[in-house]
């Protein structure tokens, strides 16, 4: 119920986002509806005037109303298109900003393909809300206006049409209720398929190597029967509603015409008024446009519900404090993190990382190493406890100050940007991230970071050097890691390496380790690693075991413990 309420609220907001174009659409559509209601009356008067020997004025009026209808139809399409485009663009921008502001764990609850589907497909459906609402209101005006007009002509005619419209309204309400559930189920199943498809495309090499293509096809398309069921249900409901209105509408129209014919013979109506009554009966009974508009409104509401579900998730609140002078002293107190199933990933971790020191984080798979790295730089907040950098709680730090102070490099980095230069300069200030206009290969900070990460020679061999588009850059796993590391080197106080050198050969890793350690004392380094050599080179080792900090000491002191040595045995890097 909360999601539906949020969806309705988002629907109202999206209507407003159409801005002036939605107002123009409403004005033009109302003008068109008024012209449509006046046209039968003008035609009837023209007939009566022709029988009286003078039809010129009313015939001209009828022609003028036809011109107005043509113009309003054209302008409605134009205003509706611009309004929907404006509302959709604003909704997508708002949703994208919200997704980036969420705790990174929140986005893991939805497959990336499903998120893309909501951003692209459901946001577009919701963006049509302004058009759907305006047209839904305007579309019912001709039938209601026809009831009023027929009542003015002859009350019996108005009562006849009103009774038939009441029956059609009941049928329409049932359609809206059932179609909403079918459309929501269809969009949910489509999102599940999209999410699994993206996962499969990302792991295409693994699938090919395991020869499990057929099995993966079955997994991706597992929701296809459900998708088909909801799709067929939606079309069946639309067809059923269309059939009912198609059956009732002609009968209703014939009933009004029969009553009108009797009224003509009884002298209650003139021939021209009968012509008007026939036109009004056709207008009142022709609810096909209403049905189509309701179908669009149902899709808009279902799309708004899907988008609102994401927007309802709370974003990470930023503070407004800046950091005092310091070199990256890190302190964790009572830090606990739980998984979606409630299982503790970290449990009551207390950790002091001296400013300027290098601390290796080791442990068996599942010990919580990457989670510790994530909370250390506030990729997400701990469920319990507090993390401080140079004495300031991370929750209270301004976002820009936090990202300047902390840099991340990952084992499988995602390179973002149009060119190699953009990928390295992503974390740098705007002036440093843009390629130089003087034709030089790179700005000094980007070039320095590339050299430190031992990737400058790789970039130099590319066709356009630092200006080479990322999509045209064939990179090995180790080269991608080095680009990710170069990007992270912009950190001023805390550099967090989450298995960031796992794909490097020993010589390159040693070279990078020396370069990163070259600024000893200037910033703190937190290194998640599986290698004993890396742990030995660190000042301290934080040994995690089952989500708890089992030890914090130099590598040589911990090495006497057989359980510590066993941490490195699976990688063949111990004895």
């Amino acid at each position: 119920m909360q999601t539906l309420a949020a969806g309705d609220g988002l629907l109202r907001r999206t209507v407003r986002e159409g801005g002036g174009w939605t107002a123009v659409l409403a004005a033009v559509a109302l003008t068109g509806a008024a012209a449509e209601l006046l046209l039968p009356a003008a035609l009837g008067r023209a007939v009566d005037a022709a029988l009286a020997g003078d039809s010129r004025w009313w015939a001209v009026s009828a022609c003028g109303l036809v011109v107005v209808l043509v113009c309003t139809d054209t302008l409605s399409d134009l205003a509706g298109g611009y309004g929907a485009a404006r509302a959709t663009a604003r909704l997508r921008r708002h949703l994208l900003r919200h997704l980036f502001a969420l705790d990174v764990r929140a986005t893991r609850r939805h497959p990336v393909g499903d998120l893309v589907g909501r951003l692209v497909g459901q946001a577009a459906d919701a963006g049509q809300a302004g058009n759907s609402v305006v047209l839904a209101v305007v579309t019912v005006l001709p039938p209601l206006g026809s009831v009023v007009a027929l009542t003015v002509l002859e009350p019996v005619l108005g009562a006849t049409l009103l009774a038939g419209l009441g029956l059609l309204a009941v049928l329409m309400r049932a359609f809206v209720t059932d179609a909403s559930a079918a459309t929501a189920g269809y969009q949910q199943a489509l999102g599940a398929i999209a999410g699994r498809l993206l996962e499969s495309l990302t792991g295409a090499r693994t699938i090919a190597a395991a020869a499990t293509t057929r099995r993966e096809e079955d997994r991706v398309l597992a929701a296809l029967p459900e998708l088909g069921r909801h799709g067929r249900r939606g079309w069946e409901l639309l067809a059923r509603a269309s059939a009912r209105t198609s059956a009732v509408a002609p009968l209703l129209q014939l009933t009004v015409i029969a009553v009108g014919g009797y009224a003509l013979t009884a002298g209650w109506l003139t021939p021209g008024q009968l012509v008007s009554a026939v036109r009004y009966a056709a207008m009142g009974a022709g609810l096909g446009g209403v049905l189509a508009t309701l179908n669009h409104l149902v899709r808009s509401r279902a799309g708004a519900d899907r988008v609102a579900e994401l927007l309802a998730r709370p974003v990470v609140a930023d503070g407004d404090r800046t950091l005092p002078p310091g070199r990256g002293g890190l302190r964790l107190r009572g830090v606990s993190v739980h998984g979606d199933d409630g299982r503790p990933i970290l449990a009551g971790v207390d950790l002091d990382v001296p400013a300027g020191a290098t601390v290796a984080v080791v442990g068996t798979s599942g010990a919580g190493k990457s989670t510790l790295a994530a909370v250390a730089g506030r990729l997400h907040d701990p469920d319990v406890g507090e993390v401080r950098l140079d004495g300031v709680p991370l929750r209270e730090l301004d976002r820009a100050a936090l990202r300047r102070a902390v840099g991340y490099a990952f084992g499988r980095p995602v390179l973002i940007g149009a060119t190699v230069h953009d990928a390295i300069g992503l974390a740098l200030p705007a002036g440093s991230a843009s390629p130089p206009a003087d034709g030089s290969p790179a700005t000094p900070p980007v070039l320095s970071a590339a050299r430190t990460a031992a990737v400058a020679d790789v970039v130099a061999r590319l066709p356009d050097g630092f200006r080479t588009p990322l999509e045209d850059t064939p990179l090995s796993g180790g080269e991608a890691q080095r680009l990710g590391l170069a990007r992270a080197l912009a950190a001023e106080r805390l550099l967090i390496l989450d298995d960031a050198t796992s794909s490097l050969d020993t010589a390159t890793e040693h070279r990078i380790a020396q370069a990163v350690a070259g600024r000893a004392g200037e910033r703190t380094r937190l290194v998640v690693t599986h290698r004993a050599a890396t742990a030995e080179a660190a000042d301290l080792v934080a040994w995690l075991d089952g989500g708890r900090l089992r030890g914090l000491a130099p590598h040589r002191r911990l090495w006497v413990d057989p359980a510590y040595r066993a941490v490195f045995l699976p990688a063949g890097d111990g004895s």
Side-chain angles (χ1 to χ4, degrees):
M1 294 298 294
Q2 291 180 349
T3 302
L4 290 177
D8 290 341
L10 180 64
L11 205 64
R12 291 190 292 270
R13 173 180 174 176
T14 306
V15 172
R16 294 193 297 270
E17 290 289 1
W21 287 111
T22 301
V24 170
L25 174 63
V28 171
L30 286 172
T31 302
E36 188 177 1
L37 285 170
L38 291 173
L39 183 57
L43 290 174
R45 291 297 183 94
V47 170
D48 286 340
L51 293 176
D54 181 16
S55 61
R56 182 173 52 189
W57 168 248
W58 288 108
V60 171
S61 299
C63 291
L65 290 172
V66 172
V67 172
V68 171
L69 286 173
V70 172
C71 293
T72 54
D73 282 346
T74 303
L75 291 175
S76 293
D77 291 339
L78 180 65
Y82 276 110
R86 184 176 188 266
T88 301
R90 292 195 171 192
L91 181 58
R92 283 174 175 163
R93 187 178 297 112
H94 177 55
L95 177 58
L96 191 61
R97 287 176 177 171
H98 188 84
L99 289 176
F100 283 135
L102 286 175
D103 186 310
V104 294
R105 293 177 297 175
T107 56
R108 293 176 189 163
R109 298 186 178 98
H110 300 277
V112 176
D114 177 55
L115 295 177
V116 172
R118 298 189 195 214
L119 182 67
V120 176
Q122 276 83 70
D125 289 337
Q128 295 285 340
N131 296 352
S132 300
V133 170
V134 169
L135 295 180
V137 172
V138 172
T139 304
V140 300
L141 293 181
L144 296 179
S146 297
V147 172
V148 175
L150 287 175
T151 302
V152 171
L153 290 175
E154 174 54 51
V156 176
L157 294 176
T160 302
L161 182 59
L162 182 61
L165 289 180
L167 176 60
L168 288 173
V170 173
L171 299 178
M172 294 291 184
R173 181 179 180 183
F175 166 75
V176 170
T177 302
D178 296 338
S180 296
T183 302
Y186 183 89
Q187 291 178 345
Q188 185 173 357
L190 189 63
I193 292 175
R196 292 172 184 170
L197 175 60
L198 187 60
E199 292 173 359
S200 298
L201 292 176
T202 303
R205 291 191 301 175
T206 303
I207 295 169
T212 57
T213 303
R214 184 68 62 183
R215 189 189 310 165
E216 194 62 22
E217 289 176 1
D218 294 339
R219 187 185 76 88
V220 171
L221 299 178
L224 192 58
E226 181 183 358
L227 183 73
R229 184 171 63 255
H230 289 301
R232 286 191 298 272
R233 175 65 173 164
W235 285 113
E236 288 170 0
L237 290 170
L238 184 59
R240 188 182 306 166
S242 298
R244 289 172 177 174
T245 55
S246 297
V248 174
L251 294 176
L252 177 59
Q253 186 176 354
L254 289 174
T255 302
V256 173
I257 292 174
V259 174
Y262 175 79
L264 177 65
T265 60
W268 301 344
L269 296 177
T270 66
Q273 289 175 328
L274 180 60
V275 171
S276 297
V278 172
R279 291 292 304 163
Y280 281 125
M283 189 184 305
L287 294 179
V290 176
L291 186 63
T293 302
L294 286 178
N295 190 41
H296 289 310
L297 188 58
V298 166
R299 288 183 59 86
S300 294
R301 186 184 182 189
D305 288 342
R306 296 267 291 166
V307 173
E309 182 183 357
L310 296 177
L311 293 178
R313 296 190 177 278
V315 300
V316 177
D318 295 321
D320 55 5
R321 294 182 61 180
T322 58
L323 287 168
R327 295 179 294 124
L330 183 67
R331 172 173 289 186
L332 284 72
R333 283 293 177 268
V335 168
S336 296
V337 177
H338 300 92
D340 293 337
D341 57 358
R343 180 182 61 86
I345 301 174
L346 292 178
V349 173
D350 293 323
L351 175 64
D352 287 311
V353 179
T358 298
V359 175
V361 181
V362 304
T364 57
S365 179
K369 301 184 296 298
S370 292
T371 301
L372 177 67
V375 298
R378 211 193 177 196
L379 288 185
H380 63 76
D381 290 324
D383 297 317
V384 180
E386 184 180 64
V387 182
R388 290 176 175 262
L389 182 63
D390 285 328
V392 180
L394 295 188
R395 295 175 188 266
E396 300 178 10
L397 274 177
D398 172 74
R399 179 185 293 267
L402 175 63
R403 292 305 157 216
R404 282 195 306 269
V406 182
Y408 273 95
F410 303 100
R412 290 183 291 178
V414 177
L415 302 178
I416 299 172
T419 65
V420 173
H421 192 283
D422 294 339
I424 297 176
L426 183 67
L428 294 171
S432 303
S434 303
D438 59 4
S440 56
T443 55
V446 169
L447 188 59
S448 174
R451 287 171 176 167
T452 302
V455 77
D457 55 340
V458 175
V459 177
R461 293 195 297 267
L462 296 175
D464 296 312
F466 285 90
R467 298 174 184 266
T468 304
L470 276 177
E471 60 186 15
D472 298 332
T473 306
L475 296 172
S476 67
E479 290 166 347
Q481 279 193 344
R482 281 184 271 170
L483 282 178
L485 181 60
R487 178 180 60 194
L489 292 176
E492 296 175 354
R493 304 197 185 201
L494 176 61
L495 179 61
I496 301 175
L497 309 181
D498 188 356
D499 211 18
T501 58
S502 58
S503 297
L504 303 183
D505 59 83
T506 304
T508 303
E509 182 183 15
H510 180 68
R511 176 183 170 189
I512 291 175
Q514 285 186 321
V516 171
R519 292 177 55 183
E522 295 183 18
R523 64 182 171 195
T524 305
R525 290 162 294 277
L526 195 67
V527 184
V528 175
T529 183
H530 298 278
R531 298 183 178 181
T534 304
E536 185 178 11
D539 299 315
L540 293 170
V541 175
W543 175 19
L544 291 178
D545 185 14
R548 298 183 180 277
L549 184 63
R550 184 164 174 176
L552 178 65
H555 172 77
R556 63 180 180 278
R557 188 181 303 170
L558 295 173
W559 190 255
V560 301
D561 189 332
Y564 177 78
R565 294 199 300 271
V567 169
F568 303 97
L569 287 177
D573 195 13
S575 58

